[in-house]
Amino acid sequence: MTDNWNLLGHNWAVDMLRRHIATGEARHAYLFAGPAGLGRRSLALAFARALNCTNPPAPGDFCGQCRDCKGIAAMGHPDLAVVQAENEGGILKVDQVREMKRTVSLKPYQSKYRVALFLRFQEANDNASNALLKTLEEAPAHAILLLTAANPESLLPTIVSRCEVLRLRPLPLEQVQRELESRGIENSHAELIAHISGGRPGYAFRLAEDKSLLEFRSQRLDDLQKLLSSSRVDKFAYVEKLAKEKDVMRQTLLVWQSFWRDVFLRASKAESPIANVDRAGEVDSLTKQLDLPAARRRVAEVERALQQMERNVNARLLMEVLLLNWK
């Protein structure tokens, strides 16, 4: 084992979780909070392995080789229940939480603890959230509940108050770039991926492994440049096609959000590095055309559109209004 559970970054969180296990003070519920791609799930699964490893090399560590370690790492362990919405941006439903509650009420099949892992719990509907709250209040001693979410403020305060909250932060871009280079990624490409990832190692690794993600991003940024000067008819035609696939529309908005954030950073003369370093010319061009309040509005408009998508607002109408505001 490495000193940090084979994870990149979040050393303080690993140290705390290791200490909880070694001293027998593991909490009954933990919330791993932070943006997607930061390593929330990886940290939660490493913690689950350390909790249930049958041959730990040191207190609070895991061997990675025993049956429990391998099963949990593959998310195919009989004492690990994984609960999540059917797809990213979907809805986590009450029946899923109720089924998990039935499962964790049973004694562990082969390990010390039954672990329930709730991924992207901000996607839970109200009934599911209330069902989890009841579960947290009645969780048996052999069960540990792990939640991941974008931020604690998106969850019921009563749920957050019953969890040990770990607020994870993006890593320095240089650290992500070095890790990518150590995996054989060429220097300039590693730098670009590190910037696009915003210091989120999980997202950076996905970008490095799946070329289609970078191709999708490039195409959507090209689309945005064209749409800004397109006619109303062309904008409506684009929206008609885009709104047919909700997940594609959501991913498109995330790309555009990143771009408008760069424009806002430049307009505000912030020292923070921009994400889309390969589009710096386009960012600078728009910065000259928009004042700071206008740049801020663009970011806010995309954020609002993403929030409304989660509430199942009419996707086509949502995008039409958004694009008509962008001239």
Side-chain angles (χ1 to χ4, degrees), residues 19-313:
R19 188 169 62 252
H20 284 187
I21 297 170
T23 58
E25 297 175 344
R27 316 296 194 248
H28 76 289
Y30 292 80
L31 169 60
F32 301 88
L38 197 54
R40 303 170 306 190
R41 183 180 67 174
S42 296
L43 179 58
L45 287 172
F47 181 46
R49 277 181 280 174
L51 283 165
N52 283 326
C53 179
T54 55
N55 188 32
D61 274 335
F62 60 88
C63 69
Q65 299 302 317
C66 68
R67 182 171 64 161
D68 290 289
C69 281
K70 289 182 176 180
I72 292 171
M75 294 199 292
H77 192 284
D79 292 322
L80 174 68
V82 181
V83 184
Q84 60 184 320
E86 189 173 334
N87 48 60
E88 193 170 349
I91 298 174
L92 196 156
K93 300 175 182 177
V94 64
D95 290 345
Q96 295 174 269
V97 179
R98 287 173 177 163
E99 175 60 25
M100 179 283 309
K101 182 180 180 183
R102 186 194 67 78
T103 300
V104 298
S105 68
L106 304 173
K107 292 287 185 182
Y109 180 73
Q110 70 182 47
S111 303
K112 183 177 180 180
Y113 294 103
R114 275 197 181 271
V115 178
L117 175 57
F118 296 87
L119 299 175
R120 307 187 309 274
F121 199 74
Q122 73 273 6
E123 296 174 351
N125 62 22
D126 291 344
N127 289 336
S129 294
N130 288 324
L132 177 67
L133 180 59
K134 189 170 179 61
T135 304
L136 287 169
E137 294 169 343
E138 302 171 356
H142 62 254
I144 292 185
L145 280 58
L146 310 178
L147 287 70
T148 73
N151 60 73
E153 290 71 28
S154 65
L155 308 184
L156 288 176
T158 43
I159 288 179
V160 177
S161 67
R162 286 168 172 77
C163 297
E164 179 81 35
V165 180
L166 292 84
R167 292 178 182 264
L168 305 181
R169 296 287 182 261
L171 308 186
L173 300 186
E174 296 78 10
Q175 184 179 3
V176 177
Q177 180 178 340
R178 285 196 303 270
E179 178 64 24
L180 291 169
E181 290 173 355
S182 74
R183 298 182 178 208
I185 307 297
E186 189 267 329
N187 175 271
S188 60
H189 193 52
E191 181 182 12
L192 173 61
I193 291 176
H195 276 263
I196 294 171
S197 75
R200 294 172 289 165
Y203 184 37
F205 300 153
R206 287 200 298 274
L207 288 169
E209 293 164 5
D210 187 351
K211 292 182 179 179
S212 69
L213 295 177
L214 286 176
E215 291 169 356
F216 177 87
R217 164 190 167 272
S218 183
Q219 181 60 58
R220 296 305 165 175
L221 289 176
D222 288 346
D223 292 347
L224 177 58
Q225 294 302 313
K226 294 175 184 175
L227 287 165
L228 292 175
S229 57
S230 291
S231 67
R232 180 188 296 246
V233 172
D234 287 341
K235 288 179 178 179
F236 282 0
Y238 184 86
V239 168
E240 183 178 10
K241 183 178 179 180
L242 183 65
K244 291 177 181 177
E245 296 184 65
K246 186 175 180 181
D247 188 55
V248 173
M249 176 174 156
R250 182 175 173 278
Q251 294 302 325
T252 298
L253 285 171
L254 289 171
V255 171
W256 292 353
Q257 180 186 42
S258 170
F259 182 83
W260 285 121
R261 179 179 177 275
D262 286 345
V263 174
F264 172 69
L265 286 174
R266 285 286 168 87
S268 62
K269 295 180 170 54
E271 295 182 1
S272 302
I274 64 172
N276 301 283
V277 288
D278 57 334
R279 302 284 182 139
E282 294 166 7
V283 171
D284 290 340
S285 176
L286 277 165
T287 302
K288 294 174 182 176
Q289 299 175 48
L290 298 174
D291 58 17
L292 183 58
R296 184 186 291 114
R297 276 199 305 275
R298 294 290 183 269
V299 177
E301 286 164 356
V302 180
E303 289 177 349
R304 188 161 53 249
L306 285 164
Q307 292 169 357
Q308 289 176 320
M309 277 192 70
E310 293 179 5
R311 302 186 188 117
N312 288 321
V313 172

